Amino acid sequence: MTAPSPIQAKITDMFSQSVTVLARPGPQTFELFERRGGISQAVIYVLLAAVVSALIAAIFAPFHAGTTFFGQLITRLVLIPLQFFIFTGAVYLIGKYVFRGTGTYPEVAYSFALFFVPLSIIGTLLGIIPILGFLVGLLISVAMIFYGFLAVGSSMNIHDAVKAGVTLILSGIAYWAVGGFLLALILAPFTRG
């Protein structure tokens, strides 16, 4: 018996699914949508978030010391998708090989995209207000952790809360380690040794 082919969600479908995920957080909600898209839909949705965030940040860059229009534009276009795929790759690999989760990478990527995209856009929009920037960043981070915990359990089929939590924590550590390595690799030509 073959598995049913996934429903390939359109952008409008992803928006409505995101609203549902944010409004009714729970494993059942993620289970409802995890197979309605795959990697290509996650890529498109995350790239949309990167473009929107880059444009917002670039337009408001002159109002923030130490930032430039092109600096904000380029870094967000590159870093948002890169960060997303490093983190979701870590979730998948750790969930599968450490905790024997049975989900697939397309399910992980799509599930995470459903909350990551709107939260990152909201964070960028509210983050342009200098006084609220830190507080908004903190609240968005807490929301990302909450929804990430639910998405790990659902998309990787890890129903033990401790295992899902440890998967999320280890993925965060792996994300920072890989990010630090990539940053060092990028900066290596510019440092004197």
Side-chain angles (χ1 to χ4, degrees):
M1 177 182 268
T2 60
S5 62
I7 299 168
Q8 301 302 315
K10 299 177 201 138
I11 292 286
T12 54
D13 299 328
M14 290 184 273
F15 278 127
S16 67
Q17 291 169 14
S18 288
V19 168
T20 303
V21 163
L22 294 175
R24 291 187 323 193
Q28 312 86 338
T29 307
F30 280 106
E31 290 285 343
L32 181 64
F33 299 125
E34 71 183 9
R35 291 192 178 126
R36 299 224 180 154
I39 295 172
S40 59
Q41 286 75 29
V43 167
I44 291 166
Y45 206 34
V46 170
L47 287 175
L48 175 66
V51 168
V52 170
S53 292
L55 289 173
I56 292 167
I59 289 168
F60 287 92
F63 301 107
H64 298 275
T67 62
T68 64
F69 177 87
F70 289 110
Q72 289 294 311
L73 192 67
I74 304 289
T75 56
R76 288 179 188 257
L77 285 174
V78 172
L79 290 181
I80 288 175
L82 185 64
Q83 291 169 336
F84 178 83
F85 290 107
I86 289 171
F87 188 80
T88 55
V91 166
Y92 171 71
L93 293 172
I94 292 167
K96 180 176 176 112
Y97 295 107
V98 176
F99 294 109
R100 304 288 183 236
T102 58
T104 65
Y105 182 70
E107 291 169 349
V108 171
Y110 191 72
S111 294
F112 271 76
L114 291 178
F115 68 88
F116 174 82
V117 169
L119 289 177
S120 64
I121 291 171
I122 291 167
T124 301
L125 274 171
L126 297 177
I128 61 174
I129 304 167
I131 297 170
L132 294 178
F134 174 77
L135 180 60
V136 167
L138 182 63
L139 291 174
I140 293 293
S141 295
V142 169
M144 290 275 195
I145 292 168
F146 172 71
Y147 287 103
F149 173 76
L150 297 174
V152 166
S154 174
S155 65
M156 284 306 300
N157 301 313
I158 300 174
H159 302 294
D160 179 278
V162 172
K163 290 180 180 180
V166 171
T167 299
L168 194 63
I169 291 167
L170 291 177
S171 298
I173 293 168
Y175 162 79
W176 286 107
V178 170
F181 173 75
L182 291 175
L183 183 62
L185 194 61
I186 292 168
L187 294 178
F190 303 106
T191 60
R192 293 182 184 197

